[in-house]
C-alpha cells in the first residue's frame, strides 16, 4: 500500500474527505505491518504477487476462488492452485471443503508461533485431513504419513531490482542499468530453481481423547533453507567490468586514510 497524496484526489471538501479517509487506512495498515514484524509474522506469499505489496488474509482467502481457480492454464497462479488441490484430492477431501482448507492455511500463515514462512501450501505439511473429511476419504484416518515439500522463491522484477541496486551501490558505487537488472532477474530465478527450500518430515495422527475430541496430530520434520539471493547479487555485482576499478579506488582511499591517521605507517605492506 502506497502513502496517499493529496494531489491524487479531487479539489474541494469531497477530495479532502477522500484523502483523509485514505490517510487513516494507510496509517492503520502501517501499524498492522509494524505489529506483524514484532510478532515475527511473515507476509503472505502468493504467485505473481510481491509479498511486500501487503496482501491481507481477506484478500488471500479470496485469491483461491477468484484468482487461482480462474487463472490462465500454465500460469504460475494456476500451477500453484492445481498443485494445492492435487494434494487435497489425494487426501480424499471433497471439493466443497477445498476453500475451508485454504482459509485455514491462510490463517495458519498469520498465526504467531505456527512456524509458517508465508506460503499457505506449507500448511499441508502439518494439517489433519480428517478435520475436513469427517473420517471419510481415501486416506487412513489415523497413522503416520511421510511428507516432502519443495518450495522455490520467484523474485519479481521490483524485488530483484532492489537486491541488485543495493549490491551495486555497495560494490561498485552506482545503480544497475535496466539491462543488468533484467539479466540479474533472469539469472536469480534460474538459480533459485536449483536450490529450493525443502521440508521433510512425518505427520502422525492419533484418535480422539478426553482432551482432544478430534484427535491429535503431531508433525516432526526438517526445513532446509533454500537459495540465498544476497550472495548471488554480490557475485553478480563483482562480475561487472567496472568492479576492479572501484575495488582499487576503495583500497587506495583506505591506504590514504590510514596514513593520515598514522604517518609512521607509510612502510606498511598492504596485501
Amino acid at each position: 500500500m502506497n502513502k496517499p497524496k493529496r494531489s491524487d484526489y479531487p479539489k474541494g471538501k469531497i477530495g479532502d474527505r477522500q484523502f483523509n479517509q485514505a490517510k487513516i487506512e494507510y496509517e492503520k495498515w502501517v501499524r498492522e505491518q509494524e505489529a506483524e514484524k514484532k510478532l515475527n509474522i511473515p507476509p503472505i506469499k502468493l504467485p505473481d504477487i510481491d509479498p511486500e505489496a501487503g496482501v491481507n488474509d481477506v484478500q488471500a482467502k479470496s485469491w483461491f476462488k477468484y484468482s487461482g481457480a480462474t487463472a490462465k492454464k500454465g500460469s504460475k497462479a494456476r500451477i500453484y492452485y492445481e498443485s494445492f488441490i492435487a494434494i487435497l484430492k489425494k487426501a480424499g477431501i471433497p471439493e466443497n471443503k477445498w476453500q475451508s482448507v485454504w482459509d485455514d492455511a491462510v490463517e495458519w500463515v498469520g498465526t504467531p508461533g505456527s512456524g509458517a514462512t508465508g506460503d499457505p501450501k506449507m500448511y499441508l505439511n502439518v494439517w489433519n485431513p480428517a478435520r475436513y473429511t469427517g473420517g471419510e476419504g481415501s486416506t487412513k484416518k489415523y497413522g503416520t504419513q511421510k511428507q516432502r515439500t519443495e518450495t522455490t522463491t520467484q523474485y519479481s522484477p521490483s524485488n530483484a531490482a532492489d537486491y541488485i541496486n543495493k549490491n551495486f551501490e555497495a560494490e561498485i558505487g552506482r545503480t544497475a542499468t535496466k539491462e543488468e537488472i533484467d539479466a540479474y532477474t533472469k539469472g536469480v530465478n534460474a538459480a533459485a530453481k536449483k536450490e529450493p527450500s525443502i521440508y521433510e518430515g512425518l505427520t502422525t495422527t492419533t484418535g480422539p481423547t478426553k482432551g482432544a475430541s478430534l484427535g491429535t496430530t503431531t508433525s516432526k520434520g526438517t526445513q532446509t533453507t533454500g537459495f540465498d539471493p544476497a550472495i548471488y547479487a554480490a557475485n553478480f555485482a563483482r562480475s561487472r567490468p567496472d568492479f576492479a576499478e572501484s575495488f582499487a579506488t576503495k583500497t587506495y582511499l583506505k591506504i590514504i586514510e590510514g596514513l593520515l591517521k598514522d604517518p609512521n605507517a607509510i612502510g606498511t605492506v598492504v596485501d
Side-chain angles (χ1 to χ4, degrees), residues 213-244:
S213 60
L214 295 178
T216 301
T217 298
T218 303
S219 296
K220 293 183 179 180
T222 302
Q223 179 77 49
T224 60
T225 56
F227 175 72
D228 187 346
I231 295 176
Y232 187 89
N235 290 335
F236 185 87
R238 292 168 186 169
S239 70
R240 301 297 90 189
D242 49 343
F243 169 73

